């Protein structure tokens, strides 16, 4: 879900063994069509997990706290599995905010996606999110497409989205800066699970998922009128997150003026 890891040293790796990237890395040799497919399928599965577990929870209990607990628990486990599985293929972004942040770091001279990859990833993520919501509705016998009536336009919810997205970007790019992307499946899934509870918005933190959840009038839905506000705050949160990464993970310099190891 982050910047590309450097390739393994060809001088010491067997000639017939491809370098194995850490979860979250984007292997440069993976065909773009495969990476776009991984982003589509991964985002679809993520939204199906979020929406489907929400529907299941409301069928099993009327207690809203238990519903949210079931929804967040399913999301934690599902997201961790998806990042582990698809991270070595596409980087497991599943999130336009993450992809846009990677594009920004690439433009600044760091590792990340290029313009062609950005143009493939973001539509794939949005299409996958919509497909995932429709799939979840189909599995539970709900109308395949029914616009959500769950209004989420209150100012405190919008602030929650800034906080949730900023924290997510700080986590992902902080892991990249400290060479700890191998922890991404557990760390990112754990953060999202926690953010379900400590943010007022239950941590959408993802423009594609936000769009997809507008297509279902169930527990996890969001009214279409609330979508632009959420996406706007998520993009602001991504900028805040990148700024925090720049401040917190600034690389020091030696006396000679070169970056410290």
């Amino acid at each position: 879900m982050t910047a590309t890891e450097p390739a393994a040293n060809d001088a010491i790796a067997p000639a017939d063994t491809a370098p194995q990237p850490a979860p979250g890395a984007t292997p440069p040799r993976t065909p773009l069509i495969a990476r776009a497919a991984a982003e589509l399928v991964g985002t679809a599965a993520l939204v199906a997990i979020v929406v489907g577990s929400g529907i299941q929870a409301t069928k099993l209990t009327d207690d809203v706290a238990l519903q949210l607990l079931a929804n967040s628990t399913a999301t934690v486990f599902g997201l961790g599995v998806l990042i582990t599985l698809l991270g070595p293929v596409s980087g497991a972004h599943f999130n336009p905010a993450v992809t846009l942040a990677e594009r920004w770091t690439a433009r600044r001279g760091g590792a990340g996606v290029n313009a062609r990859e950005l143009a493939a990833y973001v539509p794939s993520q949005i299409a996958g999110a919509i497909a995932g919501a429709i799939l979840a509705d189909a599995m539970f016998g709900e109308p395949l497409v029914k616009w959500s009536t769950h209004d989420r336009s209150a100012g405190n919810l919008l602030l929650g989205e800034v906080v949730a997205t900023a924290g997510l970007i700080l986590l992902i790019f902080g892991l990249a800066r400290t060479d700890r992307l191998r922890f991404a499946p557990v760390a990112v899934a754990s953060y999202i699970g926690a953010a379900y509870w400590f943010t007022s918005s239950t941590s959408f933190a993802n423009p594609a998922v936000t769009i997809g959840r507008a297509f279902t009038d169930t527990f996890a839905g969001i009214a279409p009128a609330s979508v632009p506000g959420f996406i706007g705050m998520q993009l602001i949160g991504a900028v805040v997150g990148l700024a925090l990464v720049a401040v917190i993970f600034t690389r020091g310099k030696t006396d000679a003026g070169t970056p410290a190891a």
Side-chain angles (χ1 to χ4, degrees):
M1 298 182 73
T2 54
T4 305
E5 289 286 328
N9 190 330
D10 291 337
I12 61 175
D16 58 350
T17 302
Q20 297 298 312
T26 305
R29 295 178 184 174
T30 305
L32 181 56
I33 189 170
R35 283 178 275 157
E39 287 297 301
L40 188 151
V41 171
T43 311
L46 174 59
V47 174
I49 291 166
V50 172
V51 173
S53 62
I55 297 172
Q56 184 77 287
T58 57
K59 290 179 178 292
L60 295 175
T61 179
D62 293 327
D63 187 320
V64 177
L66 287 178
Q67 291 171 356
L68 185 60
L69 178 61
N71 195 208
S72 60
T73 301
T75 302
V76 167
F77 286 115
L79 181 57
V81 168
L82 290 172
I83 296 172
T84 301
L85 175 65
L86 298 176
V89 179
S90 68
H93 296 192
F94 313 146
N95 187 337
V98 173
T99 304
L100 288 167
E102 272 211 9
R103 177 57 186 152
W104 172 255
T105 61
R107 288 174 60 87
R108 301 283 294 177
V113 297
N114 58 35
R116 182 165 170 261
E117 291 166 331
L118 176 69
Y121 273 37
V122 173
S124 297
Q125 292 159 355
I126 294 172
I130 295 170
I134 294 172
L135 175 60
D137 282 340
M139 287 192 292
F140 287 93
E142 300 288 337
L144 296 185
V145 176
K146 185 177 181 182
W147 299 117
S148 176
T149 56
H150 193 160
D151 179 73
R152 299 179 188 262
S153 59
N156 63 304
L157 302 183
L158 298 177
L159 176 59
E161 280 302 287
V162 174
V163 173
T165 311
L168 178 63
I169 297 298
L170 174 61
L171 171 61
I172 292 171
F173 287 83
L175 289 174
R177 287 284 184 95
T178 56
D179 194 27
R180 294 180 179 179
L181 281 172
R182 61 190 178 278
F183 299 119
V186 172
V188 173
S190 298
Y191 172 79
I192 292 297
Y196 260 83
W197 291 91
F198 77 74
T199 64
S200 56
S201 62
T202 65
S203 184
F204 284 45
N206 185 326
V209 168
T210 302
I211 292 170
R213 288 169 65 167
F215 283 73
T216 177
D217 192 19
T218 58
F219 178 79
I222 177 173
S226 301
V227 168
F230 261 49
I231 292 177
M233 294 303 104
Q234 289 158 0
L235 295 178
I236 291 173
V239 172
V240 172
L242 286 174
L244 290 173
V245 171
V247 171
I248 296 172
F249 296 100
T250 300
R251 293 187 175 90
K253 292 186 177 182
T254 65
D255 292 338
T258 56

